[in-house]
Amino acid sequence: MKEALYYTALSEQKTECTLCPHSCIIKSGKAGICKVRVNREGKLYAESWGKPVALHTDPIEKKPLYHFFPGHQVLSIGTLGCNMQCRFCQNCEISQQAYERHGYEMHKSIDDIVFLAQHKQKNIGLAFTYNEPVVYYEYMMELSDAIHKAGLKNIMVSNGFINPEPLVALVKNIDAFNIDLKSCSQDFYKKYTSSELLPVLESIKYIHNSGKHLELTFLVIEGLNDDRANFIEMIDWICENTGKRTVLHISRYFPHYQMDIPPTTLKTMDALYLLAKQKLDFVYLGNIQGSNTQDTQCPVCQTILLKRTGYYTINEGLDRAGNCKKCGEKIIEQMEN
């Protein structure tokens, strides 16, 4: 446990957390919406510091990141808690849990994690993922500093729901982001995630403008966020604010947590894929087996450059600099470690 950054002490031992747009007013002995930022006698503490519950080596494609060191591995870390309450959460076993009710945790220092990252084969660095990394901000900042000093890369997989000031500091430490854009509807965000859309859009714009690598993920839930007009509005927003070369992962939903809507049909997935491909160069379908919609194709000469089977990637057409061997078009900025 470590004293939190970004909070204001109030009267009667209350605190206001200013890390994310919820701005939780927290009484002594209580936690914020995230369940892991806890008021102890008028001071706010990050309860998750040094206490990961998930620590694994994954293919970088699993994050998902398809245009950042393809074919490499990344050590991945997660704690408990989240600052959204998505009714369809795919990682609710950890993201919707508090430490006092969870039976398992590790204790890992900064040096422990850096040592692991340095000694994993073909590992490019550390990914903050599994649950929402914003809620373990302090641990992430210290880890990402140390990972950079070790000459490795930092990745953040996030819902993007964070206030501007902590985001500015964080972006300096992170090399690549995958941000969940769950809808282009404020009503959807409010009803199904207990949060807001605008801060997420602002985060995405800031990350893009910072020059850091950015990919987006959209989880499709039929009847909730698959409206064609709203989807086209989202694609238009992406084109206007982050560009037609923004990588978009359209992911298939399966029932979990508090939602029992049937899995998204392949017909809907294909329809949204075709709509997105009309305006974006790089669109991929996720959570679907045996689909060639996970391959990377050159938008200029149409050559298949990277073929993917699950999380296994074969480079068929990119040179070491990430350019198409056939026409020379720059496709991927980060290819080799």
Side-chain angles (χ1 to χ4, degrees), residues 148-161:
H148 270 174
K149 288 175 182 176
L152 300 172
K153 302 294 184 182
N154 291 304
I155 292 166
M156 183 180 182
V157 182
S158 173
N159 60 33
F161 198 63

Side-chain angles (χ1 to χ4, degrees), residues 56-71:
H56 308 285
T57 301
D58 292 326
I60 198 163
E61 286 81 5
K62 192 176 180 179
K63 296 304 100 186
L65 287 174
Y66 278 14
H67 287 223
F68 189 78
F69 292 100

Side-chain angles (χ1 to χ4, degrees), residues 185-223:
S185 163
Q186 165 63 13
D187 289 342
F188 178 91
Y189 266 86
K190 184 176 181 179
K191 184 173 182 179
Y192 295 106
T193 77
S194 299
S195 66
E196 301 173 48
L197 169 63
L198 184 58
V200 177
L201 296 180
E202 292 299 319
S203 293
I204 290 170
K205 286 195 293 185
Y206 184 82
I207 292 166
H208 169 73
N209 291 334
S210 75
K212 297 303 178 76
H213 183 79
L214 172 67
E215 301 187 20
L216 302 177
T217 295
F218 174 66
L219 181 71
V220 187
I221 308 171
E222 281 181 304

